[in-house]
DNA sequence: AGGCCGTACTG
DNA sequence: CAGTACG
DNA sequence: GCCT
């Protein structure tokens, strides 16, 4: 099932608003050309973190123009903190309610925040600014330092930087009382300007300085790992209103088209490109500009240019008219009918759902899929998801009050409506056998008797089976809904939460990342030391790294924690 | 040129 | 086994 | 389709 189209979740990046003005005017932020976005991928947190002060406001705008994101809350993704001159290090810590900030790079004194004393041991001040420094001063170590290193493939973490900024307001001249920059080529620039200039002079963001300073290893983020979608926050929103909104809509149609056609790789590429384009803060209108975005290649880049020029895509118009395609499309929306079956039906000359019902040989599941074609292809409002979940929960608690039911899928990601109802069932301390027995032998029969569960589409038969797929129907309704139960022992809860929350792209990204690290991620846990065959059939299952705690799986993979609503890729 | 997630149920 | 499905 |  294609991922539910993005529920709105609030972006952590606040809006730059016009001072007063009526309506929702937004200041025009003109991003610098892409190759000059020296802050691309960095997340700034200002202190104070509002744009009410004109000087700070200017700095925030400038930071964004150079590619930074402005975080409205201090969180794990923040890479740099920019502190106003009026505040010192202690005030910052107090406000953030932190004992300390894990500084990563304290070697550059230009921008050191007042009141910060570097540890005595690491007296590495002498270095002005390394020529290749693309980041600014006082780097911080990751916040969650406790992360146990569970895998042998230790990688790096995002570095946090702490930057002092001038509150010199509009004049842009440095205020007194700050350590003199060792070199200030231009008196009219404040610290941020300086940082921008110095970063510009240096090489782009790619510089990989693994310098050891007195035996202290220092790392910056893993560039290769950054390319995984799971490393980035996705709310799935901001496409409806962003500068590329229309292009995104058309590309999404193409992605859907390839999805329906079951051209999984093209579909994947389009979704990848869409995700990348959605994050762009400026309108992409030429092939050249599009090509520079990671995830967009020449083919899609050409299409982007065509979409912008002509407002639509000829290829898509054509595809929409293709009759056979429409038929396949129609058939594949039947539960239990994939490309293969759809092609067979179409080749047999069937054109409508009714044709199938009357003439085709159908499996039991396909028949159910047809009988409830409209039901299964309509969205379930969030409130109704809760009703279905409530019924299951109540019935299960009646059998054993220790059971826990979690509503998963797009519901957990905050969606306002879902394609189906996903319920995770567990009981602390119970074995999977006990849970399976209770659910399969007691809960399902009970709810079936009460006419809540109305069809079984796929139910576990294996000894280690853990799922039940079927349909449910509310007492006062005639609409059948797809409902999935996942049975989980407590030890696997974290991995199951991860899997069952999705979305699918996010899961695949996490799993691919795991495999690149010699590990394996599935709905039961994260495993390491997986031996793979040449054709990478796995020879050993690997040893369990983590299964119980969702957060620890992120940590073990060195992926910053993302709440469910940020897993919409 | 070859990878692109890893698993579980159906028939 | 291939096909379909789940996130 | 895109990326290595």
């Amino acid at each position: 099932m294609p991922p539910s189209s993005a529920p709105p979740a609030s972006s952590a990046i606040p809006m730059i608003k016009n001072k007063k003005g009526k309506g929702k005017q937004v200041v025009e932020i003109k991003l610098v050309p892409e190759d000059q976005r020296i802050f691309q991928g960095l997340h700034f947190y200002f202190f104070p973190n509002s744009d009410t002060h004109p000087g700070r406001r200017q700095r925030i705008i400038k930071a964004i123009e150079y590619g930074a994101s402005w975080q409205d809350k201090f969180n794990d993704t923040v890479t740099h903190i920019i502190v106003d001159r009026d505040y010192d290090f202690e005030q910052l810590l107090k406000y953030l309610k932190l004992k300390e900030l894990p500084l990563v790079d304290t070697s550059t004194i230009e921008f050191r925040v007042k009141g910060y004393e570097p540890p005595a041991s690491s007296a590495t001040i002498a270095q002005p600014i390394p020529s290749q420094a693309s980041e600014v001063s006082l780097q911080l170590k990751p916040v969650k330092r406790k992360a146990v290193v569970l895998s042998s493939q230790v990688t790096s973490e995002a570095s946090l930087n702490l930057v002092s900024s001038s509150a010199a307001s509009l004049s842009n001249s440095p205020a007194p009382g700050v350590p003199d920059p060792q070199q200030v080529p231009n008196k009219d620039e404040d610290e941020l300007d300086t940082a921008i200039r110095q970063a510009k002079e240096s090489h782009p963001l790619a510089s990989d300085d693994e310098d050891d300073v007195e035996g202290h290893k220092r790392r910056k983020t893993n560039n290769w790992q950054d390319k995984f979608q799971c490393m980035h926050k996705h709310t799935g929103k901001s496409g409806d209103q962003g500068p590329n909104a229309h292009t995104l809509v058309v590309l999404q149609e193409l992605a859907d088209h390839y999805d329906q056609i079951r051209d999984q790789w093209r579909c994947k590429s389009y979704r990848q490109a869409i995700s990348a384009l959605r994050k762009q803060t400026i309108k992409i209108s030429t092939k050249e500009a599009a090509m520079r975005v990671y995830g967009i290649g020449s083919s899609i880049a050409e299409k982007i240019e065509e979409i912008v020029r002509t407002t639509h895509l000829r290829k898509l118009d054509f595809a929409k008219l293709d009759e056979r395609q429409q038929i396949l499309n129609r058939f594949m929306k039947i539960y239990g009918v994939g490309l293969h079956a759809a092609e067979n039906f179409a080749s047999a000359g069937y054109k409508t759902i009714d044709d199938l019902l009357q003439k085709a040989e159908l499996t039991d599941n396909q028949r159910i899929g047809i009988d409830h074609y409209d039901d299964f292809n309509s969205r379930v409002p969030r409130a109704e998801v809760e009703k279905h979940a409530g019924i299951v929960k109540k019935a299960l608690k009646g059998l054993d009050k220790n059971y826990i039911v979690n509503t998963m899928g797009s519901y957990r990601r905050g969606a306002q409506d879902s394609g189906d109802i996903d319920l995770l069932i567990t009981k602390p301390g119970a074995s999977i056998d006990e849970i399976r027995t209770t659910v399969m032998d007691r809960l399902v029969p009970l709810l079936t008797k009460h006419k809540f569960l109305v069809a079984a589409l796929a139910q576990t038969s294996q000894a280690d089976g853990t799922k039940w797929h079927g349909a449910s129907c509310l007492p006062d309704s005639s609409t059948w809904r797809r409902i999935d139960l996942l049975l989980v022992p407590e030890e696997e809860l974290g991995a199951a939460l991860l899997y069952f929350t999705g979305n699918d792209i996010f899961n695949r990204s996490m799993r691919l990342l795991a495999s690149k690290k010699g590990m394996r991620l599935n709905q039961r846990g994260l495993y390491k030391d997986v031996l793979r065959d040449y054709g990478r059939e796995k020879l050993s299952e690997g040893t369990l790294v983590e299964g119980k705690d969702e957060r620890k799986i992120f940590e073990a993979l060195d992926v910053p924690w993302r709440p469910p609503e940020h897993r919409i890729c």
Side-chain angles (χ1 to χ4, degrees), chain A residues 7 16 70 103 141 175-176 212 253 260 319 350 427 470 475 489 537 565:
Chain A
I16 299 260
W70 176 27
L103 299 176
K141 284 185 208 148
D212 269 24
E253 286 186 58
Q260 288 154 2
Y350 307 139
K427 176 185 168 184
E537 257 169 277
E565 58 272 22

Side-chain angles (χ1 to χ4, degrees), chain A residues 15 30-31 55 71 86 139 145 175 248 255 315 363 368 375 387 413 441 463 511 525:
Chain A
M15 280 270 186
K30 295 172 72 176
L31 277 100
Q71 301 290 315
D86 298 343
Q139 304 194 337
R145 186 57 283 211
L248 288 166
K315 179 184 171 73
T363 67
I368 294 171
D375 289 351
K387 286 186 187 173
R413 299 196 302 268
D441 297 352
R511 290 170 180 214

Side-chain angles (χ1 to χ4, degrees), chain A residues 362-499:
Chain A
L362 299 168
T363 67
D364 293 347
N365 284 354
Q366 288 168 344
R367 194 164 291 280
I368 294 171
I370 289 179
D371 287 344
H372 296 274
Y373 187 82
D374 291 330
D375 289 351
F376 290 169
N377 284 303
S378 63
R379 308 284 300 171
V380 191
R382 190 173 179 84
E384 191 184 329
V385 174
E386 285 163 1
K387 286 186 187 173
H388 288 257
I391 288 175
V392 174
K393 205 171 293 189
K394 191 178 169 192
L396 191 52
K397 294 261 186 191
L399 295 173
D400 184 337
K401 62 177 169 49
N402 293 321
Y403 272 95
I404 296 171
V405 178
N406 286 309
T407 310
M408 307 295 292
S410 53
Y411 179 91
R412 187 171 183 237
R413 299 196 302 268
Q416 289 308 301
D417 52 68
S418 303
D420 62 5
I421 299 143
D422 302 308
L423 302 177
L424 185 158
I425 294 173
T426 189
K427 176 185 168 184
S431 70
I432 182 64
D433 290 306
E434 180 190 336
I435 297 171
R436 181 170 41 237
T437 303
T438 304
V439 171
M440 298 299 174
D441 297 352
R442 300 178 66 200
L443 179 70
V444 170
L446 178 67
L447 289 173
T448 305
K449 200 179 82 183
H450 289 345
K451 307 275 192 235
F452 172 70
L453 294 181
V454 287
L457 296 165
Q459 48 201 321
T460 190
S461 54
Q462 284 180 211
D464 63 340
T466 53
K467 68 183 191 185
W468 187 91
H469 292 175
S472 58
C473 185
L474 291 176
D476 52 354
S477 169
S478 60
T479 306
W480 287 22
R481 301 300 194 184
R482 282 278 298 103
I483 184 168
D484 297 338
L485 309 181
L486 186 67
L487 317 184
V488 178
E490 197 181 13
E491 311 83 63
E492 299 172 359
L493 184 58
L497 285 167
L498 190 55
Y499 159 69

